[in-house]
Amino acid sequence: MSTEHIGRRIREARKVRQMTVRQLAAQVKISVSTLEKYEHGDRNPPPGILAQLARALHVGPDRLTGQPYWNGAEIEAQVQAVIPELRRILLTYDNPDDLLTAPRPLPVLAAEMDHISEMRQDGQYVPMGPLLPGVLAELTHVALTARGPEQQRAYWWLARGYRATNSLAHKLGYHDLSLTAIERVRWAADHSGDPLMQVTGAYLKAGAMVRMGAYGSARRVLEALVDEVERLAPEASMSPEQIAVQGAVLLKLAILEARDGRPEQAEARLDEARAAAGSLRSDTTHYEMSFGPTNVRIHEVAALIDQGDTEQALARLREWGAEQDRDEWELPTGIVAERASHHHIDVAAARLAEGDRHGAHTDLLRARQISPNHSRWHPTLRATAASLVRLDRGQTDSIAGLARWSGI
């Protein structure tokens, strides 16, 4: 089992930069003892702190998380094998290689891309990956050769294909490819004639900015998108699709503010999202944006965790659980698997921070059950599992098994 972990990588990068623990802690504005816990692997930095550490150390966040990962999943499923082909397709997006046969009709390609999008939302990256290159290649030819409404629809579906590529690349840790895919989403969206697809492309770019810690730039983009969706609504009467897209933007803003150490602004954005979700009967996935009352609560917990207030995050789960006559809040059925899995991974990290190792282990197992592909490559699951192994003096088989499964 590997001894590599985020803390070890932080320490190695710090030494390469010839910085002391005190100097790095001062730059990131955390205590020396907290940084020492991170470096020893006793605690894991939340995403906002991780981005700040990476910036202070002049490395990318993926350098600290150790991505891309190569573990049993790659050997078993060869999911990494599609990456070179996707790179080629994204590079030749406006001048593609010739096809051996004519592309299939657009309705057939659209149906296949719709299936791929569903797989993306369920975190089924292993079966999704091999399907992407062929459909992207065919859609590219249709988009470049068709005319009129059919061309715009081809670009619309192509934008969804690039989004799936972005998700696959991001989850596997190929962040350079992920950023290229986002730019291709924006390119295709601009040709689709659909303003909400254009908003979606800009939203994805802002999300990448948030992950890199470029909070000021991301904030300006997201705030402009909130206004843009308002502008698109006739006489302030928003459609369910517009509500979902704007709501997702508001939730991204809430996470941004939480990571940027602005809890009041984060709560204000959550309030706006809560009000928007109140007009929806249930959670929706318009434009592949998961939004609704449940997703607002998921982001409320995530924002508290990102701020480091893990105690309050877990208290919120107990408070909502009382509404269900349960000890803790449980997600309702119907939430897309990737989102549900991500929630349990976040909660596991919070439980570990509060010293509840058994609870953290249980949540990681639930995340794996809901979406194995998503969980297996998630850096927070790997970091939490690695910490559980180091803290487990009894060498529990189940904890060690989870760590091996995730490739640690």
Side-chain angles (χ1 to χ4, degrees):
M1 191 173 296
S2 173
T3 59
E4 280 291 311
H5 56 82
I6 289 176
R8 182 184 292 272
R9 297 187 191 98
I10 292 171
R11 183 167 65 249
E12 289 173 351
R14 175 177 60 77
K15 289 181 177 180
V16 167
R17 301 301 179 200
Q18 298 183 323
M19 298 175 69
T20 66
V21 171
R22 190 172 298 279
Q23 288 171 332
L24 180 56
Q27 282 203 31
V28 183
K29 297 180 181 178
I30 58 177
S31 69
V32 169
S33 63
T34 296
L35 179 55
E36 287 176 337
K37 289 177 182 176
Y38 292 157
E39 291 196 355
H40 293 153
D42 297 332
R43 290 179 60 182
N44 293 303
I49 297 297
L50 183 67
Q52 292 179 49
L53 286 166
R55 191 167 185 174
L57 292 167
H58 303 287
V59 298
D62 54 339
R63 171 66 182 82
L64 300 183
T65 57
Q67 294 170 296
Y69 304 129
W70 286 78
N71 58 31
E74 287 77 16
I75 297 170
E76 180 181 303
Q78 297 295 313
V79 68
Q80 306 278 11
V82 303
I83 296 299
E85 183 71 358
L86 289 174
R87 287 191 188 279
R88 183 185 63 79
I89 289 172
L90 265 61
L91 178 64
T92 60
Y93 70 104
D94 58 350
N95 184 25
D97 291 337
D98 292 337
L99 297 176
L100 295 177
T101 60
R104 289 169 290 172
L106 181 57
V108 175
L109 295 173
E112 188 161 345
M113 187 55 70
D114 200 37
H115 176 58
I116 289 173
S117 297
E118 290 177 2
M119 296 172 77
R120 183 200 73 79
Q121 293 178 79
D122 282 338
Q124 298 180 38
Y125 308 122
V126 170
M128 179 188 82
L131 300 177
L132 267 172
V135 181
L136 283 173
E138 291 182 81
L139 276 171
T140 299
H141 278 267
V142 174
L144 292 174
T145 58
R147 293 293 179 267
E150 183 183 22
Q151 184 178 51
Q152 288 188 319
R153 292 301 295 170
Y155 275 115
W156 193 90
W157 286 104
L158 188 57
R160 292 188 68 176
Y162 288 141
R163 179 171 189 175
T165 304
N166 159 60
S167 186
L168 178 68
H170 169 61
K171 300 305 180 184
L172 293 182
Y174 292 92
H175 298 301
D176 59 331
L177 182 61
S178 168
L179 295 175
T180 301
I182 289 172
E183 291 305 317
R184 299 296 178 263
V185 173
R186 300 181 70 203
W187 172 77
D190 286 345
H191 288 80
S192 73
D194 184 347
L196 285 182
M197 187 60 81
Q198 292 176 299
V199 170
T200 299
Y203 162 89
L204 294 174
K205 184 170 184 177
M209 293 176 180
V210 172
R211 290 192 293 274
M212 294 297 294
Y215 299 132
S217 299
R219 183 181 292 110
R220 286 188 292 273
V221 170
L222 292 169
E223 288 177 344
L225 294 181
V226 172
D227 295 339
E228 174 64 11
V229 178
E230 290 279 0
R231 188 188 67 79
L232 293 172
E235 300 179 1
S237 177
M238 297 181 70
S239 67
E241 292 80 6
Q242 290 166 334
I243 292 171
V245 171
Q246 188 187 63
V249 173
L250 290 168
L251 291 178
K252 186 69 72 178
L253 269 168
I255 295 299
L256 180 159
E257 301 295 6
R259 294 186 183 182
D260 200 23
R262 291 155 50 102
E264 295 83 6
Q265 289 85 346
E267 184 57 38
R269 291 304 186 181
L270 285 168
D271 284 341
E272 292 179 72
R274 226 175 266 117
S279 62
L280 300 174
R281 294 184 178 181
S282 60
D283 286 73
T284 64
T285 57
H286 297 300
Y287 285 81
E288 300 181 55
M289 302 285 203
S290 299
F291 182 70
T294 300
N295 267 283
V296 172
R297 285 191 166 185
I298 288 174
H299 281 76
E300 184 175 341
V301 171
L304 288 168
I305 294 171
D306 283 356
Q307 293 168 36
D309 196 352
T310 50
E311 181 180 2
Q312 183 58 37
L314 298 177
R316 201 63 54 89
L317 294 178
R318 292 191 294 271
E319 174 188 329
W320 296 336
E323 300 171 3
Q324 301 173 323
D325 291 325
R326 301 177 184 273
D327 292 335
E328 283 194 348
W329 184 56
E330 293 193 8
L331 297 177
T333 58
I335 300 301
V336 295
E338 185 182 73
R339 175 60 60 198
S341 174
H342 198 157
H343 169 71
H344 284 291
I345 292 171
D346 284 346
V347 173
R351 294 196 200 281
L352 180 61
E354 292 298 310
D356 180 7
R357 283 181 273 170
H358 174 74
H361 181 218
T362 299
D363 266 297
L364 292 185
L365 292 177
R366 294 183 72 181
R368 181 175 71 172
Q369 181 182 27
I370 292 168
S371 181
N373 292 169
H374 173 257
S375 300
R376 195 167 201 174
W377 287 291
H378 201 290
T380 302
L381 181 140
R382 292 170 65 98
T384 304
S387 294
L388 288 173
V389 169
R390 285 190 295 277
L391 295 169
D392 181 33
R393 292 195 173 96
Q395 297 183 331
T396 307
D397 287 343
S398 180
I399 292 176
L402 177 66
R404 284 193 298 270
W405 170 82
S406 65
I408 297 171

